[in-house]
Short mmCIF file of all heavy atoms in Angstrom, two decimals:
data_model
loop_
_atom_site.label_atom_id
_atom_site.label_comp_id
_atom_site.label_asym_id
_atom_site.label_seq_id
_atom_site.Cartn_x
_atom_site.Cartn_y
_atom_site.Cartn_z
N TYR A 160 -23.12 5.98 0.60
CA TYR A 160 -23.49 6.09 -0.92
C TYR A 160 -23.59 7.55 -1.35
O TYR A 160 -24.14 8.39 -0.69
CB TYR A 160 -24.77 5.41 -1.17
CG TYR A 160 -24.87 4.01 -0.85
CD1 TYR A 160 -25.87 3.44 -0.08
CD2 TYR A 160 -23.98 3.11 -1.47
CE1 TYR A 160 -25.96 2.08 0.23
CE2 TYR A 160 -23.93 1.77 -1.20
CZ TYR A 160 -24.97 1.25 -0.40
OH TYR A 160 -25.03 -0.13 -0.08
N ARG A 161 -22.94 7.81 -2.56
CA ARG A 161 -23.01 9.14 -3.10
C ARG A 161 -24.42 9.30 -3.76
O ARG A 161 -24.95 8.35 -4.29
CB ARG A 161 -21.89 9.30 -4.13
CG ARG A 161 -21.62 10.73 -4.49
CD ARG A 161 -20.33 10.77 -5.28
NE ARG A 161 -19.18 10.57 -4.55
CZ ARG A 161 -17.97 10.17 -4.98
NH1 ARG A 161 -17.91 9.81 -6.27
NH2 ARG A 161 -16.94 10.02 -4.24
N LYS A 162 -24.97 10.50 -3.73
CA LYS A 162 -26.18 10.76 -4.44
C LYS A 162 -26.06 11.56 -5.59
O LYS A 162 -25.07 12.29 -5.78
CB LYS A 162 -27.18 11.38 -3.32
CG LYS A 162 -27.41 10.51 -2.19
CD LYS A 162 -28.48 10.91 -1.31
CE LYS A 162 -28.80 9.80 -0.31
NZ LYS A 162 -29.56 10.16 0.86
N LEU A 163 -27.06 11.48 -6.47
CA LEU A 163 -26.97 12.35 -7.78
C LEU A 163 -27.19 13.82 -7.41
O LEU A 163 -26.75 14.65 -8.20
CB LEU A 163 -27.96 11.84 -8.77
CG LEU A 163 -27.79 10.43 -9.38
CD1 LEU A 163 -29.00 9.89 -10.07
CD2 LEU A 163 -26.54 10.55 -10.31
N GLY A 164 -27.93 14.04 -6.39
CA GLY A 164 -28.30 15.43 -6.09
C GLY A 164 -29.49 16.01 -6.70
O GLY A 164 -29.65 17.24 -6.77
N LEU A 165 -30.30 15.14 -7.17
CA LEU A 165 -31.55 15.55 -7.86
C LEU A 165 -32.67 15.62 -6.88
O LEU A 165 -32.78 14.71 -5.98
CB LEU A 165 -31.88 14.60 -9.01
CG LEU A 165 -30.86 14.53 -10.16
CD1 LEU A 165 -31.17 13.25 -10.99
CD2 LEU A 165 -30.81 15.77 -10.87
N SER A 166 -33.61 16.56 -6.99
CA SER A 166 -34.63 16.62 -5.96
C SER A 166 -35.59 15.42 -5.99
O SER A 166 -35.98 14.96 -4.92
CB SER A 166 -35.47 17.89 -6.11
OG SER A 166 -35.94 17.96 -7.42
N ASP A 167 -35.86 14.88 -7.09
CA ASP A 167 -36.71 13.70 -7.16
C ASP A 167 -36.10 12.38 -6.72
O ASP A 167 -36.78 11.43 -6.43
CB ASP A 167 -37.24 13.53 -8.65
CG ASP A 167 -38.17 14.62 -9.04
OD1 ASP A 167 -39.05 15.04 -8.16
OD2 ASP A 167 -38.06 15.14 -10.12
N GLU A 168 -34.77 12.46 -6.47
CA GLU A 168 -34.03 11.29 -6.05
C GLU A 168 -34.54 10.97 -4.58
O GLU A 168 -34.77 9.84 -4.23
CB GLU A 168 -32.54 11.66 -6.01
CG GLU A 168 -31.64 10.58 -5.75
CD GLU A 168 -30.14 11.07 -5.81
OE1 GLU A 168 -29.90 12.31 -6.04
OE2 GLU A 168 -29.22 10.23 -5.69
N GLU A 169 -34.60 12.00 -3.78
CA GLU A 169 -35.05 11.84 -2.35
C GLU A 169 -36.48 11.39 -2.39
O GLU A 169 -36.89 10.52 -1.60
CB GLU A 169 -34.86 13.09 -1.60
CG GLU A 169 -33.42 13.40 -1.21
CD GLU A 169 -32.72 12.36 -0.35
OE1 GLU A 169 -33.52 11.72 0.47
OE2 GLU A 169 -31.64 12.00 -0.52
N ARG A 170 -37.29 12.16 -3.12
CA ARG A 170 -38.81 11.94 -3.17
C ARG A 170 -39.12 10.54 -3.58
O ARG A 170 -40.03 9.91 -2.93
CB ARG A 170 -39.38 12.97 -4.12
CG ARG A 170 -40.96 12.85 -4.29
CD ARG A 170 -41.48 13.87 -5.09
NE ARG A 170 -41.12 13.79 -6.51
CZ ARG A 170 -41.74 12.97 -7.44
NH1 ARG A 170 -42.74 12.12 -7.00
NH2 ARG A 170 -41.30 12.89 -8.64
N LEU A 171 -38.35 9.94 -4.51
CA LEU A 171 -38.69 8.60 -5.01
C LEU A 171 -37.78 7.50 -4.43
O LEU A 171 -37.78 6.43 -4.79
CB LEU A 171 -38.65 8.67 -6.52
CG LEU A 171 -39.71 9.51 -7.20
CD1 LEU A 171 -39.40 9.71 -8.59
CD2 LEU A 171 -41.04 8.81 -6.93
N SER A 172 -37.01 7.90 -3.42
CA SER A 172 -36.14 6.93 -2.67
C SER A 172 -37.09 5.97 -1.99
O SER A 172 -38.04 6.30 -1.35
CB SER A 172 -35.28 7.61 -1.64
OG SER A 172 -34.77 6.70 -0.70
N GLY A 173 -36.82 4.68 -2.35
CA GLY A 173 -37.75 3.64 -1.78
C GLY A 173 -39.03 3.40 -2.68
O GLY A 173 -39.75 2.52 -2.41
N HIS A 174 -39.14 4.24 -3.68
CA HIS A 174 -40.17 4.12 -4.58
C HIS A 174 -39.69 3.91 -5.98
O HIS A 174 -40.12 4.60 -6.93
CB HIS A 174 -41.19 5.32 -4.52
CG HIS A 174 -41.74 5.44 -3.09
ND1 HIS A 174 -42.84 4.79 -2.76
CD2 HIS A 174 -41.40 6.27 -2.10
CE1 HIS A 174 -43.09 5.08 -1.43
NE2 HIS A 174 -42.23 6.01 -1.11
N GLY A 175 -38.66 3.15 -6.10
CA GLY A 175 -37.97 2.97 -7.46
C GLY A 175 -36.55 3.36 -7.46
O GLY A 175 -35.76 3.00 -8.32
N VAL A 176 -36.17 4.25 -6.53
CA VAL A 176 -34.73 4.70 -6.47
C VAL A 176 -34.10 4.02 -5.38
O VAL A 176 -34.59 4.11 -4.27
CB VAL A 176 -34.59 6.28 -6.29
CG1 VAL A 176 -33.08 6.68 -6.23
CG2 VAL A 176 -35.26 6.99 -7.44
N SER A 177 -32.93 3.37 -5.68
CA SER A 177 -32.29 2.55 -4.62
C SER A 177 -30.72 2.73 -4.81
O SER A 177 -30.28 3.10 -5.90
CB SER A 177 -32.69 1.07 -4.74
OG SER A 177 -31.83 0.28 -3.95
N TRP A 178 -30.02 2.39 -3.76
CA TRP A 178 -28.55 2.45 -3.75
C TRP A 178 -28.07 1.02 -3.51
O TRP A 178 -26.78 0.83 -3.36
CB TRP A 178 -28.07 3.37 -2.69
CG TRP A 178 -28.21 4.82 -3.07
CD1 TRP A 178 -27.31 5.64 -3.58
CD2 TRP A 178 -29.38 5.61 -3.01
NE1 TRP A 178 -27.79 6.78 -3.86
CE2 TRP A 178 -29.11 6.85 -3.53
CE3 TRP A 178 -30.63 5.38 -2.56
CZ2 TRP A 178 -30.03 7.89 -3.53
CZ3 TRP A 178 -31.64 6.37 -2.58
CH2 TRP A 178 -31.30 7.66 -3.12
N CYS A 179 -28.91 0.01 -3.47
CA CYS A 179 -28.53 -1.29 -3.03
C CYS A 179 -29.19 -2.43 -3.79
O CYS A 179 -30.36 -2.78 -3.41
CB CYS A 179 -28.65 -1.48 -1.52
SG CYS A 179 -28.24 -3.08 -0.90
N ALA A 180 -28.51 -2.97 -4.76
CA ALA A 180 -29.13 -4.00 -5.56
C ALA A 180 -29.44 -5.23 -4.81
O ALA A 180 -30.57 -5.82 -4.94
CB ALA A 180 -28.27 -4.36 -6.78
N THR A 181 -28.54 -5.63 -3.88
CA THR A 181 -28.85 -6.89 -3.15
C THR A 181 -29.92 -6.69 -2.11
O THR A 181 -30.59 -7.62 -1.82
CB THR A 181 -27.58 -7.33 -2.38
OG1 THR A 181 -26.96 -6.31 -1.69
CG2 THR A 181 -26.51 -7.96 -3.29
N CYS A 182 -30.20 -5.45 -1.68
CA CYS A 182 -31.30 -5.16 -0.80
C CYS A 182 -32.65 -5.12 -1.56
O CYS A 182 -33.61 -5.65 -1.11
CB CYS A 182 -31.16 -3.79 -0.11
SG CYS A 182 -29.51 -3.48 0.53
#
Side-chain angles (χ1 to χ4, degrees):
Y160 297 127
R161 198 171 284 155
K162 298 192 170 167
L163 289 167
L165 301 167
S166 57
D167 290 319
E168 187 179 7
E169 285 300 325
R170 182 176 65 82
L171 293 168
S172 164
H174 302 278
V176 177
S177 170
W178 285 262
C179 177
T181 47
C182 316

